[in-house]
Amino acid sequence: TAIVRTPNNREIWVSADNGKISVFNALTLRFESQKTVSTEALHDMEVAGNYIWIGTSSGISKYDPTTRRCVYDAKDICAEYLHVVQKNQLWCVGDGDEICVWDTDRNERREVANLEGENNVLLSMFVHVPETAEVWTAASGPQGNKIVVFSTKKLSVGHISNMGADEIVALAAVGVFLWAATRSGTVYVWNPITYSLQGKFTVHDQGIPLNVSLMRC
Protein backbone atom coordinates (compact mmCIF):
# COMPACT_ATOMS: atom_id res chain seq x y z
CA THR A 1 0.00 0.00 0.00
CA ALA A 2 1.23 3.48 -0.90
CA ILE A 3 -0.12 7.03 -0.54
CA VAL A 4 0.70 10.04 -2.73
CA ARG A 5 -0.59 13.56 -3.19
CA THR A 6 -1.28 14.56 -6.79
CA PRO A 7 0.95 17.29 -8.30
CA ASN A 8 -1.89 19.84 -8.17
CA ASN A 9 -2.32 19.08 -4.43
CA ARG A 10 -6.07 18.48 -4.90
CA GLU A 11 -6.23 14.71 -4.42
CA ILE A 12 -4.76 11.89 -2.34
CA TRP A 13 -4.29 8.53 -4.09
CA VAL A 14 -4.16 5.37 -1.97
CA SER A 15 -3.15 2.06 -3.53
CA ALA A 16 -4.28 -1.38 -2.34
CA ASP A 17 -3.33 -5.03 -2.66
CA ASN A 18 -6.40 -5.68 -4.81
CA GLY A 19 -5.05 -3.52 -7.65
CA LYS A 20 -7.35 -0.57 -6.94
CA ILE A 21 -6.65 3.11 -6.39
CA SER A 22 -8.88 5.03 -3.99
CA VAL A 23 -9.06 8.80 -4.57
CA PHE A 24 -9.75 11.28 -1.76
CA ASN A 25 -10.23 15.03 -1.82
CA ALA A 26 -7.12 16.47 -0.18
CA LEU A 27 -9.04 19.44 1.27
CA THR A 28 -12.22 17.82 2.56
CA LEU A 29 -10.68 14.32 3.04
CA ARG A 30 -13.81 12.83 1.48
CA PHE A 31 -13.71 9.71 -0.65
CA GLU A 32 -14.32 10.54 -4.32
CA SER A 33 -13.82 7.43 -6.42
CA GLN A 34 -12.10 4.10 -6.88
CA LYS A 35 -10.37 2.80 -9.98
CA THR A 36 -8.95 -0.64 -10.84
CA VAL A 37 -5.54 -0.18 -12.46
CA SER A 38 -4.16 -3.72 -12.24
CA THR A 39 -5.13 -7.33 -11.60
CA GLU A 40 -2.13 -7.54 -9.26
CA ALA A 41 -1.25 -5.96 -5.95
CA LEU A 42 0.06 -2.40 -6.24
CA HIS A 43 3.47 -2.27 -4.57
CA ASP A 44 4.39 1.40 -4.71
CA MET A 45 3.52 4.82 -6.14
CA GLU A 46 5.62 7.93 -6.76
CA VAL A 47 4.99 11.37 -8.21
CA ALA A 48 7.43 12.39 -10.94
CA GLY A 49 6.75 15.69 -12.67
CA ASN A 50 3.04 15.99 -13.42
CA TYR A 51 2.40 12.23 -13.39
CA ILE A 52 1.97 9.37 -10.95
CA TRP A 53 3.97 6.17 -11.49
CA ILE A 54 2.61 2.87 -10.14
CA GLY A 55 4.65 -0.31 -9.71
CA THR A 56 3.52 -3.95 -9.57
CA SER A 57 5.21 -7.36 -9.67
CA SER A 58 5.11 -7.43 -13.46
CA GLY A 59 5.08 -3.85 -14.68
CA ILE A 60 5.20 -0.11 -14.21
CA SER A 61 2.58 2.42 -15.31
CA LYS A 62 2.38 6.19 -15.67
CA TYR A 63 -0.91 7.96 -14.93
CA ASP A 64 -2.20 11.44 -15.68
CA PRO A 65 -3.87 12.47 -12.38
CA THR A 66 -6.13 15.03 -14.08
CA THR A 67 -7.80 12.41 -16.30
CA ARG A 68 -6.91 9.40 -14.08
CA ARG A 69 -5.89 7.55 -17.24
CA CYS A 70 -2.79 5.51 -18.01
CA VAL A 71 -0.51 7.26 -20.52
CA TYR A 72 2.36 4.74 -20.47
CA ASP A 73 2.67 1.09 -19.51
CA ALA A 74 5.69 -1.24 -19.42
CA LYS A 75 5.41 -4.97 -18.78
CA ASP A 76 7.82 -7.76 -17.85
CA ILE A 77 9.52 -5.74 -15.15
CA CYS A 78 9.18 -5.99 -11.39
CA ALA A 79 8.61 -2.61 -9.74
CA GLU A 80 8.24 -3.30 -6.05
CA TYR A 81 9.77 -0.06 -4.81
CA LEU A 82 9.96 3.34 -6.55
CA HIS A 83 11.99 6.38 -5.60
CA VAL A 84 12.31 9.71 -7.41
CA VAL A 85 15.95 10.76 -7.17
CA GLN A 86 15.83 13.71 -9.53
CA LYS A 87 13.04 15.49 -11.39
CA ASN A 88 13.20 13.09 -14.34
CA GLN A 89 14.93 10.09 -12.77
CA LEU A 90 12.89 7.30 -11.18
CA TRP A 91 14.78 4.46 -9.49
CA CYS A 92 12.99 1.13 -9.31
CA VAL A 93 13.92 -1.97 -7.31
CA GLY A 94 12.91 -5.26 -8.90
CA ASP A 95 13.97 -8.88 -8.50
CA GLY A 96 17.49 -10.02 -7.72
CA ASP A 97 20.35 -7.55 -7.90
CA GLU A 98 18.93 -5.03 -10.35
CA ILE A 99 17.91 -1.40 -10.05
CA CYS A 100 16.10 0.00 -13.08
CA VAL A 101 16.51 3.71 -13.74
CA TRP A 102 13.74 5.34 -15.74
CA ASP A 103 13.77 8.62 -17.63
CA THR A 104 10.30 9.83 -16.72
CA ASP A 105 10.22 12.47 -19.47
CA ARG A 106 11.01 10.06 -22.30
CA ASN A 107 9.39 6.99 -20.71
CA GLU A 108 12.64 5.11 -21.23
CA ARG A 109 14.44 2.55 -19.13
CA ARG A 110 17.82 4.22 -19.30
CA GLU A 111 20.11 1.85 -17.45
CA VAL A 112 20.24 -1.12 -15.12
CA ALA A 113 22.74 -0.87 -12.28
CA ASN A 114 23.65 -4.14 -10.55
CA LEU A 115 26.08 -5.69 -8.10
CA GLU A 116 28.10 -7.56 -10.72
CA GLY A 117 26.33 -10.88 -10.35
CA GLU A 118 26.76 -11.23 -6.59
CA ASN A 119 23.08 -12.23 -6.31
CA ASN A 120 22.28 -9.63 -3.65
CA VAL A 121 18.73 -8.50 -3.08
CA LEU A 122 18.55 -4.71 -2.91
CA LEU A 123 16.31 -3.56 -0.11
CA SER A 124 13.52 -1.02 -0.48
CA MET A 125 15.36 1.93 1.02
CA PHE A 126 17.07 4.81 -0.73
CA VAL A 127 18.85 7.92 0.49
CA HIS A 128 19.76 10.55 -2.10
CA VAL A 129 22.85 12.67 -1.41
CA PRO A 130 22.64 15.64 -3.83
CA GLU A 131 26.07 16.97 -2.84
CA THR A 132 27.78 13.91 -4.33
CA ALA A 133 25.09 12.99 -6.88
CA GLU A 134 24.78 9.57 -5.28
CA VAL A 135 22.15 7.19 -3.95
CA TRP A 136 22.82 5.04 -0.88
CA THR A 137 20.95 1.77 -0.48
CA ALA A 138 21.37 -1.59 1.23
CA ALA A 139 21.80 -5.12 -0.13
CA SER A 140 21.44 -8.55 1.41
CA GLY A 141 22.38 -11.95 0.01
CA PRO A 142 24.68 -15.01 0.12
CA GLN A 143 27.73 -12.74 -0.07
CA GLY A 144 26.66 -10.94 3.12
CA ASN A 145 25.12 -7.55 3.81
CA LYS A 146 26.34 -4.34 2.21
CA ILE A 147 25.84 -0.61 1.97
CA VAL A 148 25.88 0.16 -1.75
CA VAL A 149 26.42 3.63 -3.22
CA PHE A 150 25.32 4.35 -6.80
CA SER A 151 26.23 7.34 -8.95
CA THR A 152 23.15 9.12 -10.32
CA LYS A 153 25.23 10.40 -13.24
CA LYS A 154 27.10 7.26 -14.29
CA LEU A 155 24.32 4.93 -13.06
CA SER A 156 26.89 2.51 -11.72
CA VAL A 157 28.22 1.29 -8.36
CA GLY A 158 30.61 3.84 -6.87
CA HIS A 159 31.29 2.42 -3.42
CA ILE A 160 30.50 -0.67 -1.31
CA SER A 161 30.81 -1.08 2.45
CA ASN A 162 30.66 -4.67 3.68
CA MET A 163 28.48 -5.16 6.77
CA GLY A 164 29.06 -8.87 7.36
CA ALA A 165 26.18 -11.00 8.65
CA ASP A 166 24.26 -8.14 10.25
CA GLU A 167 21.20 -7.26 8.13
CA ILE A 168 20.47 -3.57 7.55
CA VAL A 169 16.86 -2.70 8.38
CA ALA A 170 16.84 1.12 8.21
CA LEU A 171 18.75 3.81 6.35
CA ALA A 172 18.24 7.56 6.74
CA ALA A 173 19.94 10.93 6.29
CA VAL A 174 20.04 12.97 9.50
CA GLY A 175 21.70 16.35 9.11
CA VAL A 176 24.98 15.93 7.25
CA PHE A 177 25.35 12.27 8.21
CA LEU A 178 23.88 9.02 6.99
CA TRP A 179 22.62 6.57 9.61
CA ALA A 180 22.10 2.82 9.21
CA ALA A 181 20.50 0.49 11.77
CA THR A 182 20.94 -3.29 11.72
CA ARG A 183 18.74 -6.10 12.99
CA SER A 184 21.10 -6.79 15.89
CA GLY A 185 20.63 -3.24 17.20
CA THR A 186 23.91 -1.75 15.96
CA VAL A 187 23.75 1.75 14.51
CA TYR A 188 26.37 3.08 12.09
CA VAL A 189 26.94 6.74 11.21
CA TRP A 190 28.72 7.68 7.97
CA ASN A 191 30.00 10.82 6.36
CA PRO A 192 28.48 10.43 2.87
CA ILE A 193 31.04 12.79 1.31
CA THR A 194 34.12 10.82 2.37
CA TYR A 195 32.47 7.39 2.99
CA SER A 196 34.18 7.41 6.39
CA LEU A 197 32.54 5.85 9.43
CA GLN A 198 31.92 8.56 12.03
CA GLY A 199 30.37 6.48 14.77
CA LYS A 200 29.08 3.09 15.85
CA PHE A 201 26.91 2.23 18.83
CA THR A 202 24.57 -0.49 20.04
CA VAL A 203 21.12 -0.15 21.57
CA HIS A 204 19.23 -2.59 23.76
CA ASP A 205 15.47 -3.20 23.84
CA GLN A 206 14.67 0.15 25.49
CA GLY A 207 16.66 2.06 22.91
CA ILE A 208 19.32 3.33 25.34
CA PRO A 209 22.78 3.51 23.71
CA LEU A 210 25.39 1.06 24.90
CA ASN A 211 29.08 0.83 24.00
CA VAL A 212 29.13 4.22 22.31
CA SER A 213 32.17 4.62 20.07
CA LEU A 214 32.49 7.85 18.06
CA MET A 215 35.33 8.53 15.67
CA ARG A 216 36.63 11.77 14.23
CA CYS A 217 37.82 12.37 10.67
Side-chain angles (χ1 to χ4, degrees):
T1 301
I3 302 173
V4 298
R5 182 190 291 265
T6 56
N8 61 12
N9 293 322
R10 296 177 181 175
E11 296 176 346
I12 302 294
W13 286 27
V14 181
S15 67
D17 290 341
N18 59 5
K20 294 182 179 181
I21 296 291
S22 297
V23 179
F24 295 84
N25 185 298
L27 182 61
T28 65
L29 304 182
R30 291 182 178 179
F31 172 79
E32 291 192 349
S33 66
Q34 192 173 71
K35 179 181 180 68
T36 299
V37 300
S38 175
T39 58
E40 300 179 305
L42 306 179
H43 290 304
D44 203 2
M45 291 191 297
E46 270 283 4
V47 174
N50 294 321
Y51 298 92
I52 296 176
W53 290 71
I54 301 173
T56 69
S57 295
S58 63
I60 188 169
S61 303
K62 178 181 180 180
Y63 277 79
D64 183 340
T66 58
T67 63
R68 300 176 186 171
R69 293 182 178 179
C70 180
V71 296
Y72 173 74
D73 191 38
K75 298 298 184 183
D76 300 323
I77 177 174
C78 182
E80 294 188 353
Y81 185 78
L82 308 176
H83 185 83
V84 176
V85 171
Q86 301 179 69
K87 180 175 65 174
N88 66 336
Q89 198 177 87
L90 180 72
W91 288 55
C92 166
V93 174
D95 290 330
D97 62 352
E98 293 185 345
I99 291 182
C100 301
V101 181
W102 291 84
D103 184 320
T104 58
D105 292 335
R106 300 179 180 179
N107 299 336
E108 293 178 353
R109 180 178 172 177
R110 294 179 53 196
E111 278 288 346
V112 176
N114 60 57
L115 298 183
E116 300 176 354
E118 293 188 9
N119 195 31
N120 281 258
V121 177
L122 292 158
L123 304 181
S124 57
M125 57 185 80
F126 283 86
V127 175
H128 181 214
V129 182
E131 293 81 3
T132 60
E134 292 176 331
V135 169
W136 286 56
T137 185
S140 177
Q143 302 293 333
N145 298 280
K146 298 176 175 66
I147 292 288
V148 185
V149 183
F150 290 99
S151 167
T152 61
K153 295 181 178 179
K154 298 179 180 179
L155 302 180
S156 60
V157 177
H159 178 77
I160 295 178
S161 294
N162 292 309
M163 304 297 294
D166 207 0
E167 181 185 356
I168 301 158
V169 295
L171 195 64
V174 181
V176 297
F177 298 113
L178 191 138
W179 293 58
T182 66
R183 191 167 298 281
S184 70
T186 302
V187 178
Y188 297 85
V189 184
W190 276 281
N191 181 328
I193 307 297
T194 62
Y195 308 125
S196 58
L197 187 64
Q198 302 294 292
K200 176 183 176 183
F201 59 88
T202 304
V203 297
H204 61 47
D205 292 341
Q206 283 72 39
I208 301 175
L210 300 176
N211 304 324
V212 176
S213 176
L214 296 177
M215 291 168 279
R216 296 179 181 179
C217 295

